[in-house]
Amino acid sequence: SGQKVCYGDFKRSCYKIAYFQDLSRRVGFQEARQACEIDGGALLSLESEAEQQLIENMLQNLTKSGSGISDGDFWIGLWRSSDGQATSSACPDLYQWADGSTSPFRNWYTDEPSCGSEACVVMYHQPTANPGLGGPYLYQWNDDRCNMKH
């Protein structure tokens, strides 16, 4: 399940946000990717600051609507294949969009990506967390282990 929001002025006409307060319903990266593909879509590729802002506004509107959205990061379609050298300084350049988009746009949180065993990317949504070095954990990107449940 999820909330589908449609806009006509971006390359993609519809965005679907699936958020589960019930932690047992959250899924890993590959499961999220497959669920999107079954619905005829793909995990989100954010291709510009304007699109990033659109998604942030959608999440803020969901939060304001009293839907009960609390802490919980969202998978986006950015990932690093296991072929890449995770320890090299080139690691940030090894991330690619799952839908084949070639957009260079990135919105990493301070000190991210940390690479290593973290190869899949989430958009932070932790409104109750104390801010870190990069400010609140809201809407910036973080690489995480692909088997984590979001």
Side-chain angles (χ1 to χ4, degrees):
S1 70
Q3 179 167 341
K4 189 178 285 189
V5 182
C6 296
Y7 292 92
D9 52 346
F10 272 80
K11 191 168 92 175
R12 292 178 266 298
S13 58
C14 287
Y15 297 86
K16 182 176 180 179
I17 297 175
Y19 175 80
F20 304 106
Q21 274 194 299
D22 178 356
L23 273 63
S24 69
R25 297 193 59 203
R26 295 182 183 183
V27 297
F29 181 83
Q30 290 301 342
E31 293 165 284
R33 186 175 179 179
Q34 289 168 347
C36 290
E37 289 171 358
I38 287 169
D39 273 355
L43 277 174
L44 181 61
S45 294
L46 290 143
E47 299 186 7
S48 67
E49 181 64 41
E51 191 171 24
Q52 171 77 28
Q53 189 62 54
L54 173 70
I55 300 303
E56 290 179 22
N57 291 342
M58 288 170 54
L59 290 171
Q60 289 165 5
N61 288 338
L62 280 175
T63 304
K64 285 181 206 162
S65 71
S67 62
I69 287 186
S70 57
D71 288 1
D73 300 334
F74 293 87
W75 287 119
I76 62 174
L78 194 63
W79 69 292
R80 175 175 45 83
S81 76
S82 57
D83 306 342
Q85 281 293 3
T87 57
S88 78
S89 60
C91 174
D93 298 327
L94 299 174
Y95 283 85
Q96 59 192 342
W97 293 107
D99 68 357
S101 164
T102 58
S103 170
F105 176 74
R106 300 291 185 267
N107 191 42
W108 294 114
Y109 190 77
T110 301
D111 297 332
E112 299 296 344
S114 50
C115 300
S117 62
E118 299 179 335
C120 296
V121 179
V122 295
M123 180 183 289
Y124 274 139
H125 190 268
Q126 299 175 23
T128 67
N130 289 326
L133 292 173
Y137 295 96
L138 281 174
Y139 316 121
Q140 307 92 344
W141 306 351
N142 172 47
D143 57 335
D144 204 350
R145 293 190 322 274
C146 298
N147 62 351
M148 294 298 291
K149 308 290 187 188
H150 294 294

